Amino acid sequence: MDTPLVVVHYEKMIRNLDRMAAFARAYRVRLRPHGKTHKMPQIAKMQLERGAAGITVAKIGEAEVMAAHGCDDILIAYPLIGNEKVERLLALARTVRVSTLVDSFEGAKALSDAFLRERMRLPVYVKIDSGLHRCGVQPGEEAAQLVRHVVSLPGLQFLGLLTHAGHAYAAKDARDLQRIGQGEADCLIETAEILRKEGIAVQEISVGSTPTVRISGAVTGVTEIRPGNYVFHDMTQVRLGVATEEDCALRVWARVVSRPNKNVLVLDSGAKTLALDRGAHGVEGVSGYGRIVGYPDCVIERLSEEHAVVKVPDDCPLSIGDVVEIIPNHACPVVNLTDQVYVIREGQSAEVWRVEARGKTS
Ligand SMILES: Cc1ncc(COP(=O)(O)O)c(C=O)c1O
């Protein structure tokens, strides 16, 4: 097999899937994994076979691919703004159960108007900002105001509250992670209490990022978890203490193509394979663009499009033609950059799996 190559270690992936499914069962929360990490209906199917209640995606294009391959309960966890998206959402809602989130009065009204025109109702979550400061309304009264508006719109069915504690990726240590995970659940539960006192039913309390899911998902009152990265894990999760290198199922095989001097070698996996992303929402403590397995002293210092420049110690035994295995910093963009992955499984020949939903821009 030629390099560079994105490889999935089947047994590691299965262990990751099984562990999260067991966690969801133990805490009686619905697992709705985020498919933006793998973008492969094949893997979504494996998650559903292990008890996932449905799948989460970020884009309509991903939802369309998942629906075409048999996923019939899809949450698009992204504010869907613009007529083109609303039309595609309507078409999708005619074939599968689809839900989405809103974080604005305008966005909610536009969705409601479109669904009402077609005599349909769209199930929606209200997105809350639990500290990432990206999308979402503030917990408490600000969120309650938006929920009251959503409840009043005839084209929408209010499902519950949703957040994603992506700021956990910048957690300083395990205590900080614990605080962020607890806060992720608490801010939804406290907002739900305000609403329930007014007689508004809040069915879903939906949380989840891979670093926080075992904390927020264990809080009483949470009904749904949406981890994505856990299927593969990566060096970012290792750095956060959430996974070990052994758990990292997605790797890149790269070849040494040059050794310009004894302290530098060049691999054939550049930014177009490994991605320049050094980790989601926080890069503190990150050194280089991934870990070369078995060579902890070699640091991938620089990436250009097709080259990785690696600083190596004097006695590094690697030479031109050798193949190394790299655990990327962030698995999700690596998948999005490749058409297919090679799935390797003990005792079997490698299988090629297509990344069906890759590169969807909308
Ligand atoms: C809304 C939402 N939910 C869930 C996730 C999954 O997070 P992770 O990949 O950390 O598991 C993400 C990740 O970007 C997200 O944006």
Side-chain angles (χ1 to χ4, degrees):
M1 286 182 288
D2 204 1
T3 56
L5 201 65
V6 180
V7 165
V8 171
H9 290 254
Y10 184 83
E11 286 81 4
K12 293 183 196 301
M13 174 179 68
I14 293 293
R15 202 170 56 220
N16 294 339
L17 294 177
D18 285 344
R19 281 181 182 159
M20 195 57 76
F23 174 84
R25 272 195 305 277
Y27 285 91
R28 296 175 192 277
V29 285
R30 261 191 304 285
L31 173 59
R32 188 182 280 282
H34 206 311
K36 51 99 202 190
T37 300
H38 55 70
K39 289 177 174 265
M40 283 178 252
Q42 238 156 324
I43 298 183
K45 190 161 168 268
M46 293 164 87
Q47 291 171 318
L48 293 166
E49 283 166 358
R50 283 165 176 74
I55 191 100
T56 305
V57 295
K59 291 167 181 282
I60 300 245
E62 293 170 348
E64 288 164 345
V65 170
M66 292 296 173
H69 286 82
C71 295
D72 59 5
D73 187 340
I74 304 170
L75 159 62
I76 307 172
Y78 196 89
L80 296 175
I81 305 293
N83 290 341
E84 296 78 3
K85 288 200 174 62
V86 176
E87 287 307 315
R88 285 166 75 189
L89 183 64
L90 274 166
L92 203 57
R94 289 192 187 97
T95 61
V96 295
R97 181 187 185 274
V98 63
S99 54
T100 189
L101 59 78
V102 293
D103 76 345
S104 68
F105 283 65
E106 305 88 303
K109 175 138 188 357
L111 289 175
S112 174
D113 288 350
F115 275 71
L116 191 61
R117 263 197 307 275
E118 300 297 316
R119 294 198 170 79
M120 292 162 74
R121 277 183 100 197
L122 174 67
V124 295
Y125 297 72
V126 164
K127 176 147 195 196
I128 290 187
D129 173 16
S130 53
L132 177 59
H133 306 321
R134 196 173 60 182
C135 292
V137 285
Q138 292 308 303
E141 190 44 37
E142 189 179 316
Q145 274 178 27
L146 180 57
V147 172
R148 287 178 205 121
H149 178 64
V150 167
V151 168
S152 76
L153 293 170
L156 301 185
Q157 178 206 348
F158 172 63
L159 280 181
L161 305 173
L162 173 152
T163 192
H164 164 63
H167 50 306
Y169 282 97
K172 288 191 276 297
D173 51 32
R175 263 184 61 195
D176 203 24
L177 198 57
Q178 179 71 34
R179 179 188 62 78
I180 294 168
Q182 185 70 43
E184 183 182 20
D186 287 350
C187 74
L188 297 191
I189 290 166
E190 284 159 23
T191 304
E193 266 166 32
I194 300 176
L195 295 164
R196 286 174 182 143
K197 275 191 195 135
E198 298 174 17
I200 296 175
V202 185
Q203 271 175 53
E204 299 291 347
I205 298 287
S206 179
V207 298
S209 73
T210 294
T212 56
V213 69
R214 284 168 184 275
I215 304 160
S216 55
V219 175
T220 307
V222 166
T223 63
E224 181 174 271
I225 56 173
R226 307 180 322 277
N229 184 273
Y230 80 98
V231 55
F232 296 140
H233 287 301
D234 51 29
M235 284 313 292
T236 303
Q237 307 295 350
V238 174
R239 181 177 56 81
L240 287 165
V242 169
T244 63
E245 285 188 29
E246 184 55 33
D247 297 326
C248 295
L250 183 121
R251 297 164 181 228
V252 169
W253 287 359
R255 197 178 299 271
V256 181
V257 291
S258 177
R259 187 152 184 186
N261 67 58
K262 71 177 187 310
N263 294 119
V264 175
L265 58 80
V266 179
L267 301 172
D268 59 1
S269 60
K272 286 181 172 170
T273 308
L274 283 173
L276 275 169
D277 183 343
R278 298 181 79 174
H281 318 303
V283 291
E284 215 144 296
V286 176
S287 90
Y289 291 89
R291 168 69 56 89
I292 304 179
V293 179
Y295 298 93
D297 298 332
C298 297
V299 180
I300 306 175
E301 281 199 321
R302 194 150 62 82
L303 297 183
S304 48
E305 288 181 51
E306 307 295 356
H307 304 76
V309 179
V310 188
K311 189 161 178 265
V312 302
D314 289 0
D315 58 353
C316 176
L318 290 168
S319 52
I320 290 175
D322 287 346
V323 173
V324 295
E325 185 172 71
I326 301 167
I327 303 177
N329 284 341
H330 192 184
C332 310
V334 174
V335 174
N336 194 46
L337 289 170
T338 187
D339 292 335
Q340 54 194 31
V341 297
Y342 287 77
V343 180
I344 51 174
R345 194 169 173 176
E346 250 175 59
Q348 296 201 15
S349 44
E351 271 180 38
V352 176
W353 290 8
R354 280 183 52 77
V355 184
E356 299 284 354
R358 83 166 276 248
K360 297 282 175 200
T361 53
S362 64

